[in-house]
Amino acid sequence: MSHSPVDMVIIPRSSDIGGFEVQRALPFRDKRMVGPFIFWDQMGPGEFVTGQGMDVRPHPHIGLSTVTYLFDGAIDHRDSLGSYQRIFAGDVNLMSAGRGIVHSERSGADLRQHPQKIYGIQSWLAQPLTAENGDPSFLHTGKAALPAFQSEGVTGRLMMGEYQGLRSPIPLQWDTLYMELHLEAGATLQLDAQTEERALYALGGELEIAGQCYQPMQMLVLHPQQEVLIKAVTPLHLMVLGGAVMDAPRFIYWNFVSSSKERLEQARQDWKERRFLLVPGDELEFVPLPEGK
């Protein structure tokens, strides 16, 4: 009998950012990365009352790319390059930190005039050795520019990488696959083995793989080099993530990722001594280095 295509099931743990709770699946003690994905937070679904909103104060990153993707709501991004961008559901914000960048994520003042919802995925991609100390950058890609596809009972959007002849316009530093799927109850999807490392994350609905049923809000890490047939037991909202195995191990310290522990220590000192650039339009606040760090 062949073994299950599911190699590991990760149950996310709760964490708090910017005054609201997130569910964090990566990094996990037994699985640090899936391809380049080294961090995975589910934000919401939640709602802010009138007068309140998200307030993730300016904080630094090195050696990683943040990928913000919303299902509902809007967030204002500002960074130390001078970028300002409001992201809406279906858009992608890609910020590559390289040698260092600072950014904030907040609810705009106009949005706080009424109740607002927030729901999405915040993930990090480890940058390859050739880019982890390179120039920082920011790129916004609107929903309309991302390839969409549809087959019997299945609709999807490709945010990053290639899938069934489609290619996302978002430039990649490393082989990456990232897409959103909706399956009607009873619909199936054959996921090929082209991507070296893959994982599934259901936001809603129950899915079945090789006769085993899985509930939402779990990360299912798949065996490599194995096609996987996914069946929606109920209407299913599913994320697919993965890519090639990274070119070297990565270390994580707070908001920093690097192949070098010495580089992490340097970034820690740089933030502690306020040597990072400020965020134009959001210069007054910042997230201090955590106590004991």
Side-chain angles (χ1 to χ4, degrees):
M1 180 182 295
S2 61
H3 65 283
S4 169
V6 177
D7 181 51
M8 180 185 300
V9 178
I10 299 174
I11 307 299
R13 61 196 185 279
S14 296
S15 187
D16 183 89
I17 64 166
F20 67 98
E21 189 175 89
V22 299
Q23 301 300 316
R24 183 162 299 164
L26 291 175
F28 182 63
R29 63 180 183 273
D30 297 323
K31 187 66 177 176
R32 308 300 291 177
M33 287 187 279
V34 178
F37 286 86
I38 196 168
F39 180 93
W40 181 275
D41 269 2
Q42 176 186 333
M43 307 181 293
E47 186 169 354
F48 294 110
V49 299
T50 300
Q52 295 185 2
M54 178 188 293
D55 279 304
V56 181
R57 295 169 291 162
H59 58 281
H61 292 291
I62 68 165
L64 62 91
S65 297
T66 63
V67 184
T68 305
Y69 186 75
L70 299 181
F71 311 116
D72 202 353
I75 299 173
D76 287 1
H77 164 97
R78 296 182 188 271
D79 63 43
S80 52
L81 297 174
S83 312
Y84 166 75
Q85 179 66 54
R86 177 167 290 178
I87 182 174
F88 295 97
D91 301 342
V92 173
N93 273 2
L94 176 67
M95 184 188 75
S96 296
R99 62 177 174 269
I101 198 168
V102 181
H103 76 135
S104 65
E105 294 164 297
R106 300 184 186 267
S107 301
D110 56 326
L111 300 179
R112 297 172 192 249
Q113 301 304 310
H114 49 77
Q116 53 176 310
K117 295 180 179 180
I118 187 71
Y119 187 23
I121 299 291
Q122 178 80 63
S123 56
W124 297 353
L125 308 176
Q127 292 183 265
L129 295 173
T130 55
E132 66 173 349
N133 291 307
D135 293 339
S137 64
F138 175 78
L139 176 68
H140 173 82
T141 304
K143 174 181 178 179
L146 299 172
F149 54 92
Q150 185 169 357
S151 59
E152 189 172 349
V154 180
T155 59
R157 178 175 295 116
L158 179 65
M159 288 84 78
M160 307 182 85
E162 298 181 32
Y163 178 73
Q164 293 187 350
L166 300 175
R167 181 194 293 268
S168 166
I170 296 177
L172 300 176
Q173 296 179 336
W174 193 253
D175 179 48
T176 305
L177 176 66
Y178 192 25
M179 60 182 177
E180 177 187 13
L181 300 169
H182 289 273
L183 281 73
E184 298 175 3
T188 60
L189 177 81
Q190 185 84 24
L191 189 63
D192 63 35
Q194 181 177 349
T195 303
E196 189 173 10
E197 292 191 334
R198 301 154 300 162
L200 309 175
Y201 188 90
L203 293 137
E206 183 178 349
L207 67 149
E208 179 183 321
I209 297 175
Q212 177 70 43
C213 291
Y214 298 93
Q215 299 301 312
M217 292 178 60
Q218 301 178 7
M219 182 168 284
L220 311 181
V221 181
L222 304 176
H223 279 288
Q225 300 178 333
Q226 191 170 345
E227 290 191 346
V228 178
L229 181 65
I230 301 164
K231 179 180 179 181
V233 178
T234 63
L236 180 64
H237 185 192
L238 185 70
M239 306 298 285
V240 179
L241 61 142
V245 175
M246 281 306 297
D247 49 6
R250 290 300 190 277
F251 305 103
I252 300 180
Y253 177 93
W254 190 39
N255 294 319
F256 306 135
V257 169
S258 180
S259 59
S260 163
K261 290 184 178 180
E262 291 76 20
R263 180 69 185 93
L264 293 181
E265 174 59 24
Q266 181 63 58
R268 186 185 78 86
Q269 289 297 330
D270 287 344
W271 184 247
K272 188 175 182 180
E273 297 174 18
R274 310 300 294 140
R275 288 196 287 259
F276 279 81
L277 296 175
L278 296 176
V279 176
D282 201 348
E283 303 96 338
L284 301 181
E285 294 187 299
F286 67 94
V287 180
L289 199 71
E291 291 292 329
K293 293 290 187 180

